[in-house]
């Protein structure tokens, strides 16, 4: 069986870097129910997010290299989620 990255794995992996405010969310394809290959983790501080990016970007989860970066608000000039 192919190991899948799920919400619990995201939580267990990323909670090491700081407080997580919401359950991590894996984005699913509406038609197939399969993972789209990305998800979101919400930290309670930018420091925790920065540490997670520094430590996890390019690492492997379930034999897949992961890209860890800030989510930017749509239609904004580089405004990160969590910014005022």
């Amino acid at each position: 069986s192919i190991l899948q990255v799920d919400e619990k794995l995201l939580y267990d992996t990323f909670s090491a870097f700081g407080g997580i405010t919401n359950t991590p969310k894996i984005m699913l394809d509406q038609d197939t129910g399969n993972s789209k290959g990305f998800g979101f983790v919400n930290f309670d501080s930018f420091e925790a997010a920065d540490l997670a990016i520094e430590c996890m970007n390019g690492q492997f989860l379930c034999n897949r290299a992961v890209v860890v970066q800030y989510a930017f608000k749509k239609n904004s000039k580089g405004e990160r989620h969590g910014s005022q």
Side-chain angles (χ1 to χ4, degrees), residues 13-71:
T13 301
F14 287 95
S15 62
F17 303 106
I20 291 178
T21 56
N22 297 333
T23 302
K25 183 156 182 60
I26 302 274
M27 304 313 290
L28 301 177
D29 184 291
Q30 299 264 328
D31 299 323
T32 65
N34 294 330
S35 168
K36 289 185 175 183
F38 68 96
F40 296 95
V41 178
N42 297 324
F43 286 103
D44 61 6
S45 70
F46 283 122
E47 290 77 16
D50 288 339
L51 188 62
I53 290 168
E54 188 181 321
C55 295
M56 288 301 299
N57 191 41
Q59 297 299 313
F60 285 80
L61 281 180
C62 297
N63 297 319
R64 291 183 59 179
V66 295
V67 175
V68 184
Q69 61 191 20
Y70 277 106

